[in-house]
Amino acid sequence: MNKRLDRGAGILMPISSLPSPYGIGTLGKEAYEFVDQLKDAGQKYWQVLPIGPTSFGDSPYQSFSTFAGNPYFIDLDMLVEEGLLEEDNLKDRCWCDREGLVSYERQWENRLDVLRIAFQNSNHLETPEFCRFLETEKEWLSGYSMYMACKVYYGNREWLSWKWDIRTRTPEAMVRYSVLQRGEIAFWEFVQYKFWQQWNLLHRYANQKGIQIIGDIPIYVALDSADVWMEPEQFLLDAELSPEVVAGCPPDAFSDEGQKWGNPIYDWDRMEKEDFAWWKRRMRASAKVYDVIRIDHFIGIVRYYKIPREESAKNGSFEWGPGLKLMNAISQVVGTSKIIAEDLGVLVPEVEETLIQSGYPGMKVLEFAFDGKRENPYLPHNYPANCVVYGGTHDNDTIEAYYDMLSPKNLKYAMDYCGVKKRKKLTDAIIRLAYASVADTVVFQMQDILKKGNSARMNYPSTVGDNWRWRMKKGEFTKKVQQRLGELADIYGRRNKMLTIDLKNSTNEEIYLELLKMTRDMSEKKVTDEGKRKLYYISAEFLIGKLLSNNLI
């Protein structure tokens, strides 16, 4: 299977950062409008941050479950339209403290309370759709719902502080708590049902517009998660089920002290003996909900950093991971979904070799490019085609802020490289530089598209409190900005080539000709595994049938 991404462009825009009247972005109207804006801007990709339920610190990379969706993202207006909520249920609530910033405290105070009202008003238990959902997702849903119900019972404390019998999931305790918390378990099942119902509708709409969703999965899971509680044997834990060692990274450009993330380390030996069954379940689930899956901290699959539980990050050490063995297992289950390997950090030859052998595209970041060294791998003239280039990531300064921090010498080099004389033109030039590169895919954060400063920065690694909060205000992604991106996508062969005509005001013949052109463009670079061109025969009846089946005519 071809593992390269189609040449195109996209925007990194977290769900949480979308406009919304309820203090945080959701899967509702504004998300659909954003898809339309992406289409108008010639984009092919919408990259999101992890969409799981967040825990302490509000980081999407520390989730209560690697399989569940974030209740905060459930659109409340859609629940009103379903008759599960009334407008009065949403009024007179404080959803945020400052416009343009998420208040997670306000979400905690209000969101679940409102969802409980919707749960009480719902007749979902009687629907075949809900029964199918329970059956389809039973592999993780029942355990997650039990975990959340027990968490509520214990005052939202981490599972390591629960009583020993339920902490260790003895059969007797599981039966007792399933009866005791029956209503609470049903509530969390309902929450996941509504989340994935809304997500699947949005995902389908995006695909119909020619937009592929790039999802982001952390390499590690949170200690306080259903994943670890349900399958502690998959992790390096002691007799009390506490981590023997935790994940992190040594001192680097982000932190002189290193980073101690606190995630438990996988028992890679056991996982390999089980043919990576846990990872296969995880990646199979991710492939259902994303078109492209970005694996965060990919280098940790080849070589990972472990830190003794009571030690600082400086006292950690590197160990070898499963590498290509895990990559081969993942390839067996992801189907047509593609993979992006986040290979940032200190690369050793083994990491580069594994990436090449896997065939997955790695990442390039333009903020890392201008140190004055012409052989710098992040400079576009050194790119391979099979990569994804970013301006910066969620862990970096915005472009506007970053280039103000460069030394005069390196700033001059950046401006000379981009062919600009004035600093204020550098961000536009950086975006053009990425679009013009040989990299198959280019992705910019929305903050950089809008030329925001560091007040819009998403995350400062090794800090807690003010991260993951930035939100775009309604109307900021203007038609002018969309047009500028669309022109670049067109000039450099990255434009979304789905239908470009107004279906409502076009004749059937015009629609047919447009669809024929789209099919020709999409098949232009299709080749067999042996490198031969493929021949397509597309009949008019087939194209018209596709139009009818998708309610386009």
Side-chain angles (χ1 to χ4, degrees), residues 247-268:
C249 65
D252 59 11
F254 290 118
S255 173
D256 293 336
E257 299 297 316
Q259 299 178 47
K260 189 176 183 180
W261 302 330
N263 308 78
I265 299 289
Y266 297 112
D267 186 342
W268 286 120

Side-chain angles (χ1 to χ4, degrees), residues 31-188:
Y32 286 80
E33 290 184 1
F34 184 65
V35 169
D36 293 338
Q37 292 169 337
L38 288 172
K39 174 68 169 60
D40 292 342
Q43 304 294 290
K44 288 184 181 178
Y45 301 100
W46 176 7
Q47 181 170 330
V48 297
L49 293 183
I51 58 175
T54 51
S55 57
F56 175 77
D58 310 308
S59 169
Y61 294 90
Q62 295 284 347
S63 176
F64 289 137
S65 169
T66 192
F67 297 93
N70 194 332
Y72 294 166
F73 297 162
I74 296 174
D75 187 70
L76 302 181
D77 286 333
M78 292 176 75
L79 298 185
V80 171
E81 292 172 5
E82 289 183 57
L84 301 182
L85 293 174
E86 297 180 0
E87 295 286 354
D88 288 346
N89 299 138
L90 308 179
K91 293 179 180 178
D92 302 322
R93 293 178 183 268
C94 181
W95 294 100
C96 66
D97 297 316
R98 286 178 57 192
E99 184 184 12
L101 293 175
V102 176
S103 171
Y104 288 99
E105 181 180 0
R106 298 299 187 187
Q107 294 302 315
W108 174 255
E109 292 171 355
N110 291 290
R111 182 70 58 156
L112 293 179
D113 181 46
V114 169
L115 290 176
R116 290 184 188 279
I117 296 172
F119 170 64
Q120 295 296 330
N121 292 334
S122 177
N123 65 350
H124 63 284
L125 293 174
E126 305 169 7
T127 65
E129 291 80 9
F130 179 69
C131 293
R132 281 197 298 272
F133 176 73
L134 290 181
E135 178 62 26
T136 303
E137 308 301 331
K138 64 182 179 181
E139 203 167 46
W140 65 270
L141 180 61
S142 59
Y144 166 75
S145 300
M146 171 73 94
Y147 164 82
M148 292 303 296
C150 290
K151 199 168 185 64
V152 171
Y153 181 84
Y154 281 99
N156 292 298
R157 299 200 306 271
E158 66 172 0
W159 66 271
L160 282 172
S161 68
W162 302 351
K163 287 186 176 180
W164 181 254
D165 60 348
I166 190 61
R167 192 193 319 174
T168 56
R169 304 176 75 248
T170 66
E172 297 81 5
M174 293 297 283
V175 171
R176 185 167 68 256
Y177 280 88
S178 65
V179 174
L180 183 65
Q181 293 293 89
R182 181 186 293 116
E184 192 68 21
I185 291 169
F187 168 69
W188 290 105

